[in-house]
Amino acid sequence: QSALTQPASVSGSPGQSITISCTGTSNDVGIYNSVSWYQQHPGKAPKLIIYDVSHRPSGISNRFSGSKSGNTASLTLSGLQAEDEADYYCSSKTTSSTLLFGGGTSLTVL
Amino acid sequence: ELQLVESGGGLVQPGGSLRLSCSASGFTFSYYWMTWVRQAPGKGLEWVANIKQEGIDKYYVDSVRGRFTISRDNGKNSLFLQMNNLRVEDTAVYYCVREGGGWYFDLWGRGTLVTVSS
C-alpha cells in the first residue's frame, strides 16, 4: 500500500494560516473517520495533535484544527508561530486492518 | 509519569536478527493496543505492527510480515519486536507507541536506532 499523499512543504508568515492536505483512497481516508495528525520537531518523537479527523488531545492548542471531505483530510494551523515549524504527518486506518502514514509535510515559518 | 522506553537497537548485518524491547510505565499497559512505528533516516513514518491487549490479535505491514513478530508481556508491562532476516531497508529508528483508543498514537517512546549494514 502506498503512503497517503501530502505536499512535501508548505510555508507561511507569522500570524497567517496554512492548510496541509492528506489524500488517500476509498480504502482508508474515505471510509474511516480515523485520520490523525502528528507534529515532529527535528530529533524528537512525533506528537499527536489531531485524532479522529477533528479532535484535539488535551493540551493541544485550538490553533490546530482538522477536517475531512471524501478521500482528503486537512490540517489547518492558524496564527502561525515560529514554534510551529516542524514536520507534519497524517495517518489513517485502512480496510486491511493496517495503518498508513502520509509522506510528511515540512512547515516553514517565514 | 507516562513513559515508554525502547531498548535493543544496534548494528546488525543483513540477514541477522535483533529483538527490540519497550518498557511501559505510568499507565495500565494491559488496557491498550500497542504499536511499533519506524522512521528511516531522513524519511517519513511507517507503521510496522500492532498487537491487541491480550496479545493474540496482531497485524503487520506487508514488508515485514513473516520476518518480524510483535509480542507483549502484560505482567512485565513490556512490548517486544523480534526482527529476523533483517534487510538494509529495515534501517530506521523504531518507536514504541501506545494506541489511544482508536487508530491514533497518544504516547511515543524516544525510539531506538536499528542499523542494518555489512
Side-chain angles (χ1 to χ4, degrees):
Chain A
Q1 288 175 307
S2 300
L4 305 177
T5 301
Q6 298 181 230
S9 63
V10 297
S11 63
S13 299
Q16 289 186 332
S17 295
I18 61 95
T19 297
I20 299 172
S21 61
C22 171
T23 301
T25 70
S26 57
N27 291 319
D28 37 69
V29 175
I31 197 171
Y32 295 114
N33 287 325
S34 299
V35 176
S36 301
W37 291 89
Y38 301 86
Q39 177 191 62
Q40 186 180 33
H41 287 106
K44 301 292 188 180
K47 177 182 178 181
L48 178 68
I49 54 175
I50 294 288
Y51 68 96
D52 292 349
V53 176
S54 60
H55 293 82
R56 279 188 311 276
S58 174
I60 298 301
S61 170
N62 60 9
R63 297 186 299 108
F64 292 95
S65 63
S67 63
K68 191 187 86 166
S69 177
N71 294 339
T72 299
S74 298
L75 172 71
T76 297
L77 179 47
S78 59
L80 272 180
Q81 300 176 1
E83 67 203 45
D84 298 329
E85 188 160 293
D87 292 329
Y88 292 83
Y89 295 90
C90 63
S91 71
S92 173
K93 176 184 178 179
T94 78
T95 54
S96 302
S97 293
T98 60
L99 182 133
L100 281 177
F101 281 102
T105 298
S106 177
L107 169 61
T108 300
V109 180
L110 301 171
Chain B
E1 179 189 4
L2 293 173
Q3 198 170 15
L4 296 169
V5 179
E6 303 93 338
S7 60
L11 174 64
V12 61
Q13 293 188 336
S17 298
L18 215 53
R19 188 189 195 216
L20 305 184
S21 299
C22 170
S23 177
S25 59
F27 64 98
T28 305
F29 180 74
S30 61
Y31 284 5
Y32 295 88
W33 282 77
M34 295 296 296
T35 294
W36 288 98
V37 172
R38 67 184 179 183
Q39 186 170 33
K43 303 297 185 182
L45 302 172
E46 181 180 36
W47 179 89
V48 174
N50 68 353
I51 184 169
K52 197 174 179 180
Q53 291 91 333
E54 85 292 330
I56 296 177
D57 290 348
K58 309 172 185 181
Y59 299 92
Y60 299 90
V61 68
D62 286 347
S63 60
V64 309
R65 189 176 294 115
R67 300 187 299 122
F68 291 11
T69 302
I70 189 172
S71 63
R72 65 192 295 164
D73 183 337
N74 288 340
K76 295 183 177 179
N77 295 332
S78 295
L79 178 71
F80 306 100
L81 187 67
Q82 177 66 44
M83 304 185 295
N84 298 330
N85 192 19
L86 281 159
R87 304 168 179 169
V88 171
E89 55 264 35
D90 295 319
T91 295
V93 173
Y94 284 73
Y95 293 102
C96 170
V97 185
R98 185 182 81 172
E99 295 192 20
W103 286 75
Y104 58 89
F105 309 125
D106 63 349
L107 181 64
W108 294 67
R110 298 182 68 176
T112 187
L113 176 62
V114 172
T115 302
V116 185
S117 175
S118 55

